[in-house]
Every structure is written in C-alpha cells, then in structure tokens.
Amino acid sequence: MACSVVFFAPLCSALADTGGLKTFVAVDLVGEAFVRSKVVSPREVEVRGVEVFFLAPVDPLFDAAVGIAAHPENGVSLFELHEATLSSSKLIPHTQLRMGKGFLYIGKLNRIHQHDWPFIDSPEVQRSFFDDEGVNDLLLEVTVNTPTSMPFEATAGVAKGWVYGHAHNEGKRPQVPTHYSRVQTFFDLPLGGALQVAGNYLGRTASDSVQTQLFGVDLTAKWREGRRVPLLLQGEVWLRRVKAPQVDREDALGMYLFPQMNLLDSLDFGIRFDQFSVLTTEDALGESIDISSYRIVPTLTYKPSEFSTFRIAYAWDLKRRGDATPNVTNSSLLAQMTYVIGAHPSHEF
Amino acid sequence: MVHLLAVAVALLSSFKSFSVNAQIAAKKPLVITTTTDLAWAAREILGDAVEVRSLLNGREDPHFVDVRPDYVAQVAQADVVCAVGLDLEVGWLPKVISKAARREIQPGGRGYCDFGSRIQALDKPLQQVDRSQGDVHPQGNPHYWLSPSVLAQASREVIDATERVRPELKGKFEARYSEFKRMMLGLEARLKARLVSANITGEQARFAEYHREFSYFARSFELTSHDTLEEKPGLSPSAGRLGKVATGLRRDKITIVLAARTAPTRVIQKFEEISGLKVGVVSVSVSQAPGSDVETYPQLIEKIIDTLIAVSEKNAAKLR
C-alpha cells in the first residue's frame, strides 16, 4: 500500500521483483600442472570463468537473458558481455526464436556453458574450430520442433560474423556472414537409455575471401537412474574445410569421445579420447602425410549436488607422424572446482 | 468470370474450413501428464472422450528427469499438459514446455493444468529456504498422489483444463468425477480398516521413511512419520546418520520403515545391515512397464499397505 502511494507503479513493481527475475552466478576454477612438458610452462590455478546471469520474462511473448562473464586474459579478469538475448517460444507454434548476442546453437559443447561440461579442459577440436569456449556472436536463430512421434528439431541461424570466436576487436565485414544449421533427432536405447544425435553445418566467408565450412555430428547417450547417470556417452566429430584465394584447400578433422560411468552416488569416472588431424598436410616432397595429435584424459568427478563439482584428471598428449607409433609429448595433472549459486535453469538433454 | 472465380474460392475455403473444424471436433483432445498416477486419474475421470498419455513410465524419480526430446515432441502435440506441481518437476518440465513452443500449454495458458494447485500442501517450510537445507520444496511436499482422497481432490483440475480447451465437453465429466471420488474414498476407508485389523494403530502406526514422501499417505491412513533416513532431502545419508536413525528406531520400537523403489539400493541395504530392520521398498507410482505389479492406482496403494503390514510383522518379531 505504502509502495503504491510513494512510488510510481512500475518502479514499485520493480522493487518488489514481481517481474520473475532469476539470477545465478557460476564460478569455474581450474588448475593444471605439467608433469612432462616440452613447450609449455606450468600453469597456476586460476579462476577460468565467473558468469553472472539474469533471466526473466519480458512480457507475455518474450523472455530475456543477460549474461556477463569474466575470463583471465593476460593476467587480468575483466567482465564482458556474453549473452544478451531475447527469445520467444510463444509467437509461432512449435518454433523458438532467439535474437541478440549469444552462443550459436550448434554442436554440443558450443551450446552449453563451460562450467557445465562433463570434463575440465577443452578438446583440441573445440579449441581449433570453436575458439575454446564457443562461438559467440550477434545472432538471429530459429528452432523448430516437430510434433511427431519421432522427435525432430531443426535450427537455422545467421550471425553477424565480423569476428569468429573470441575477439576484442570489432573485426571486418565478412563477405558472407556466419550462418549455421543443426538437425537433431532422438532414439530410445535398450535398458532405459536414450540417444540424441545431430548433424551440424556452419559456413562463413571472411572479408579477405577465406571461406570456412564446418560439418559435424554430435551425440549424447544417457542412461539415468534417479539422480545417478550410470552411463553417459558424449562425443563430436567435425570436419573443417578452409579455402583461401590462390591457396590449396585445407581440411582438418577433429573429434572427441567421452564415456563416463557412475562409480558411487556422487562419484563418476570417465575417459576422454581426442583426435585431431590436418588431412591435407604434405611433406617436403609434396607427398600427403598424416600428422595427428591425440589426447587421453581420464577424469574423476565428485558431484555432491547439481550445483557443485570437483574434478581431477590426468592428460596425456600424443603426436603421430605418418605410420609411426604415437609419442607422448606432454602430460599434465588437471583439477577443477565449479559451483553455482542462484537459480540455474534446467539443462538440455 | 472474375465473379465465378471469387465464388469458387469462397466455396472452397468455406469447405476447407468446415472440414478442418470437423477434424478438430472429431479428434479427441490429447492430455499429457508428467506422471503415470495423474494419467491413471485422468483416464478414470475423462474416459474415452480424451486420449491420455504420461511422459514418465512410473519407474523414474520425477525429481530427476532429463529434458528428453521425445518429451518435447509429445508435449508439442498436447491439448492439455498436467503437472504434479509444487515444484516436483521444476528441474525439467519448464524447459520441455518451453521447447515445445506452444502458448496454450505454457503456465497461464488454457491447456496448462497444475494438479498441485488444488490441494492444501503439507510440510510447507515456515522459515526461508536455501540450498543448505537440501532439496526443500518451498511450496510444500509434492508427494500428495499417495493419498487417494487428496489425489481425488487434485484431479478436479484436469476436468477444468479439458473443458477450457474443449468447451463443448463442459459438464460431461461430472458424473464420472463423482464416481471417481467415491471410489477413492472407498479405497482409503477399506485399506484403513485393513491397517486397524492388522493392529497398526496408535504407537504401532509410527514409521520411518527414506525421503519425506509418505506425508499425505500417512495422514490418510492415520500413520505417524517418526523420522527420515535422509538427513536433508535429496542428499544421500551418511553411515553416521543411518546409525543414528537405526538406534532411534530400535529404541522406540518402530517397526515400519518405507522407501520408494527409486531410493538408492546401496543405502537401503546398508541401513538394513546397521539396524537389523527390514525396509519395505515400494513402488510409489503406477507403472504399466512389463513385469509391473502395480498397473492401476488401487493396486499401487494396496501393495504399499501389504508391504507395510508385512514389514511391520517381520520387524516386530525382531524387536521383541
């Protein structure tokens, strides 16, 4: 009553938070110690990311999300805008619209925040093709879910594309902006499991006429029993094709596969296998040669609740040239702690 | 010629709209419920006038469910979507509904139905809730479907939602609903009498539960919840906690211990070892999955009562 007398009504309602505003903060702390290293110096423990999110309905048709995130760069962590999107699932039946700045709805890791990944570090394919954390841009995106007995979801989007990945400059107007699509379906598996599999495409032609195309498949299979997920299988395979004027086309293939099993109520063990190859490498004689890198990362996860996670992992990096046996080039110990406070929204499958 | 064309177009479009309307009227409304118990109640009340499907199959723990794309596809076809409510499905249903992207079935839409909005919730926290207290439901205990009389009361919601989306069905379910209520109250009275004849009254009617999910069931059958194995809701109890509860139950001669089939088996076995007491592990949802012995709601409640009596007799012999 006093509120309506003293304040202008909208301000009053804002003060009372009747707008359904939900906030959460996610902190992601990682450490890496190189046990055997040829190139890199040991990294210290650092806060890899702090994300602050605000989510709320704007009006009966639209919902909004605003997220700022701080990542360490050159020893300093500064907050920058990660997401500022307006979305609607009420305008057109079976269709979700999203516009603004955000991560492109493509692949698996690109669609989820780093603190929600099931492992600590970024696979080489993600680092090379999606700039580590993911491709974030000004976008306009449409996702359609078909109301059929066979679940089917199709996404198409276009992003500004002046820069690709994480950049602190405004970039240059591309000849063809970043455009992408994802088509996903879903199957039941024996013993109560389920598999989601999707095909992805991303394309862009930069201002200097360098044309990039990405073709990928992502999959997630899960067997759930209450809070426990006895078995999780997550993986992605991507082929990148880069064509620059006057230069031969470069093809690179990368993938990771992460099976994880539940050991006890809150304890999971998984091993990630990464592989990355430039398919068009030639030796001094102009002969095609296979140079591949691999990473094997056994990971132990303790997750007492869905809001806190502790991980420890050991990573072996291997390189192979031609038909030779792969050699271990680096090995390191990794650790991670993440926690979320506030109202974190539900995750995708 | 132009006039003729206009008339033809008008005739065609009116025929088309008539056939579409006729199809809509002929097609049974589809009611999707989150749990099998709500689906059973909806089928009993709405009969053949509607098609009812459940997202879950009765074997899952509805607190912990993934946002499965097949749920999204099913919800996208629904005329009415019914939830248990009281935040039971808060971890997954809002996302499923949002991804299905239909305004009518979103909260506030005419096809959204929240059974929990019809009942007086028990165990509503009096003080401010935060996550240090575990998975507390701020709006109160959502496990009301284990009480036949409370489920009957909550089920009124599905009639209202169905009539909102299909006004032509208004008033057609009243007789069935009255019969449904009579059946549920009869079930409750009959099983209450069984407990009395098994001497489970007064002091003997005290019980312990793994998770606080038998509060409404206890009120309907005049039982008293003495303790929970969980120290905090949703969190696995430590061995120390299990030991403490076991000592308390043996000291106070509590003979009934109940747990849902979704409770962690390892913890239940550990408790049985520590306490020497048998835990009655029961289904808490109707399931039509192969091999299920609780295909209907009366079977489900009878099975819980049977288990409770059997466990009580077994443990009483041990504590004598």
Side-chain angles (χ1 to χ4, degrees):
Chain A
M1 185 66 185
C3 193
S4 62
V5 173
V6 177
F7 297 107
F8 176 58
L11 175 60
C12 186
S13 101
L15 289 172
D17 186 22
T18 54
L21 183 66
K22 289 182 176 165
T23 56
F24 77 88
V25 179
V27 176
D28 180 9
L29 196 137
V30 294
E32 185 172 14
F34 286 94
V35 178
R36 175 179 163 182
S37 169
K38 286 182 182 165
V39 223
V40 236
S41 61
R43 215 199 289 172
E44 289 179 2
V45 175
E46 62 181 14
V47 176
R48 179 167 64 176
V50 176
E51 291 182 78
V52 183
F53 258 81
F54 305 92
L55 309 131
V58 175
D59 57 31
L61 286 181
F62 291 99
D63 297 304
V66 176
I68 51 171
H71 297 289
E73 281 177 53
N74 305 320
V76 186
S77 282
L78 292 174
F79 273 99
E80 59 185 13
L81 185 66
H82 252 205
E83 280 198 47
T85 57
L86 197 64
S87 59
S88 179
S89 56
K90 296 170 187 164
L91 269 178
I92 308 168
H94 311 299
T95 306
Q96 297 170 82
L97 302 170
R98 190 164 71 112
M99 59 206 97
K101 184 175 165 60
F103 287 96
L104 317 187
Y105 194 84
I106 191 167
K108 178 73 183 181
L109 296 178
N110 204 77
R111 294 185 294 125
I112 46 181
H113 293 133
Q114 223 164 6
H115 67 262
D116 283 327
W117 290 4
F119 35 73
I120 302 173
D121 60 322
S122 192
E124 170 85 48
V125 61
Q126 178 73 13
R127 279 201 305 274
S128 301
F129 295 174
F130 297 100
D131 203 7
D132 201 354
E133 193 182 9
V135 178
N136 184 294
D137 206 342
L138 271 175
L139 54 85
L140 176 64
E141 192 178 272
V142 183
T143 300
V144 178
N145 276 286
T146 57
T148 50
S149 53
M150 172 99 170
F152 183 79
E153 179 186 277
T155 299
V158 62
K160 187 178 171 189
W162 284 45
V163 292
Y164 182 80
H166 193 96
H168 288 285
N169 54 55
E170 67 168 4
K172 282 186 177 169
R173 179 192 290 275
Q175 290 182 14
V176 179
T178 307
H179 51 285
Y180 56 98
S181 60
R182 182 170 189 274
V183 178
Q184 168 197 296
T185 189
F186 183 84
F187 306 94
D188 277 323
L189 293 176
L191 305 170
L195 167 71
Q196 177 182 282
V197 62
N200 302 272
Y201 171 77
L202 182 145
R204 173 179 184 260
T205 306
S207 58
D208 54 5
S209 302
V210 175
Q211 188 191 28
T212 306
Q213 286 179 303
L214 285 164
F215 305 89
V217 173
D218 67 84
L219 67 89
T220 309
K222 248 187 223 184
W223 283 259
R224 178 177 281 282
E225 281 174 12
R227 185 191 281 276
R228 293 169 62 238
V229 177
L231 189 60
L232 165 78
L233 184 66
Q234 182 179 315
E236 290 180 70
V237 185
W238 288 91
L239 171 73
R240 185 179 66 184
R241 186 157 280 184
V242 179
K243 180 84 184 78
Q246 327 294 324
V247 180
D248 287 343
R249 190 181 80 196
E250 185 199 273
D251 289 349
L253 182 74
M255 56 86 73
Y256 75 88
L257 191 65
F258 182 69
Q260 178 182 271
M261 61 184 290
N262 181 255
L263 302 177
L264 286 171
D265 291 341
S266 310
L267 202 63
D268 298 293
F269 177 73
I271 302 182
R272 202 183 74 220
F273 303 93
D274 300 353
Q275 191 252 324
F276 189 86
S277 310
V278 178
L279 304 174
T280 45
T281 311
E282 290 178 350
D283 63 13
L285 302 170
E287 295 286 314
S288 168
I289 184 165
D290 174 20
I291 299 179
S292 296
S293 58
Y294 305 89
R295 190 169 167 91
I296 300 169
V297 197
T299 304
L300 193 65
T301 300
Y302 172 60
K303 203 171 170 65
S305 77
E306 56 189 304
F307 305 105
S308 62
T309 308
F310 301 86
R311 282 197 181 96
I312 188 157
Y314 198 89
W316 286 277
D317 289 309
L318 299 97
K319 269 224 162 6
R320 191 186 71 177
R321 195 180 163 86
D323 296 330
T325 316
N327 285 326
V328 176
T329 52
N330 289 318
S331 59
S332 55
L333 188 68
L334 298 110
Q336 182 190 31
M337 175 182 81
T338 71
Y339 59 88
V340 176
I341 50 176
H344 194 284
S346 4
H347 298 120
E348 300 262 343
F349 181 75
Chain B
M1 184 64 191
V2 175
H3 287 298
L4 266 176
L5 257 175
V7 169
V9 167
L11 271 172
L12 262 175
S13 60
S14 65
F15 174 72
K16 194 181 165 196
S17 77
F18 170 78
S19 68
V20 167
N21 288 341
Q23 271 175 20
I24 289 171
K27 200 184 148 216
K28 284 181 184 180
L30 173 61
V31 174
I32 296 273
T33 66
T34 53
T35 67
T36 48
D37 312 287
L38 304 192
W40 177 83
R43 273 187 211 109
E44 289 292 315
I45 295 166
L46 305 175
D48 292 337
V50 300
E51 186 188 344
V52 180
R53 283 190 230 151
S54 163
L55 294 178
L56 306 186
N57 64 24
R59 299 227 163 142
E60 308 91 339
D61 180 344
H63 296 89
F64 305 107
V65 173
D66 287 308
V67 179
R68 290 170 51 121
D70 58 337
Y71 294 167
V72 176
Q74 288 190 63
V75 165
Q77 301 170 62
D79 297 291
V80 174
V81 173
C82 294
V84 171
L86 300 173
D87 282 347
L88 180 74
E89 304 101 332
V90 71
W92 56 280
L93 187 63
K95 189 98 170 180
V96 168
I97 290 179
S98 161
K99 285 180 79 75
R102 285 191 40 237
R103 202 198 302 194
E104 305 81 20
I105 51 158
Q106 304 206 16
R110 61 196 173 126
Y112 184 75
C113 113
D114 176 356
F115 273 49
S117 66
R118 293 282 176 156
I119 67 149
Q120 192 77 41
L122 299 179
D123 305 331
K124 208 167 178 172
L126 297 172
Q127 73 280 32
Q128 200 175 344
V129 170
D130 66 45
R131 284 202 205 119
S132 67
Q133 297 152 22
D135 293 343
V136 179
H137 294 282
Q139 297 184 53
N141 190 323
H143 302 277
Y144 58 80
W145 68 88
L146 290 178
S147 158
S149 53
V150 179
L151 178 59
Q153 186 188 342
S155 301
R156 172 81 226 181
E157 182 69 7
V158 75
I159 299 179
D160 290 358
T162 308
E163 289 179 352
R164 277 197 302 272
V165 298
R166 289 293 175 87
E168 72 273 15
L169 295 174
K170 205 166 177 62
K172 294 208 168 145
F173 306 116
E174 293 308 323
R176 290 187 71 100
Y177 181 56
S178 298
E179 180 52 36
F180 176 74
K181 274 199 297 192
R182 248 196 311 277
M183 177 181 71
M184 296 295 261
L185 294 175
L187 174 73
E188 198 166 292
R190 185 163 56 82
L191 293 176
K192 213 187 284 181
R194 271 201 64 198
L195 288 176
V196 172
S197 65
N199 255 341
I200 299 180
T201 55
E203 290 279 291
Q204 305 307 314
R206 291 174 302 160
F207 74 104
E209 52 194 323
Y210 175 79
H211 176 69
R212 199 170 288 286
E213 58 197 312
F214 294 96
S215 298
Y216 298 88
F217 174 84
R219 202 168 68 159
S220 283
F221 295 104
E222 293 173 7
L223 304 162
T224 311
S225 178
H226 182 81
D227 209 345
T228 57
L229 271 58
E230 283 180 337
E231 189 167 13
K232 292 184 175 177
L235 300 182
S236 239
S238 63
R241 167 72 186 170
L242 295 180
K244 197 175 155 195
V245 176
T247 310
L249 297 188
R250 293 191 73 94
R251 184 193 56 222
D252 297 333
K253 302 256 184 282
I254 306 289
T255 56
I256 305 165
V257 189
L258 290 176
R261 216 169 275 289
T262 48
T265 313
R266 199 180 50 83
V267 177
I268 299 301
Q269 285 169 350
K270 186 92 189 158
F271 178 77
E272 287 183 330
E273 273 171 35
I274 293 173
S275 66
L277 297 171
K278 175 83 186 146
V279 177
V281 178
V282 292
S283 297
V284 290
S285 272
V286 168
S287 173
Q288 279 160 359
S292 167
D293 54 356
V294 287
E295 291 190 356
T296 66
Y297 184 80
Q299 282 176 3
L300 174 80
I301 301 298
E302 275 189 56
K303 191 84 190 166
I304 298 176
I305 295 287
D306 286 348
T307 309
L308 188 152
I309 294 171
V311 159
S312 176
E313 284 169 358
K314 204 167 204 170
N315 288 337
K318 285 181 184 175
L319 290 178
R320 231 172 259 140

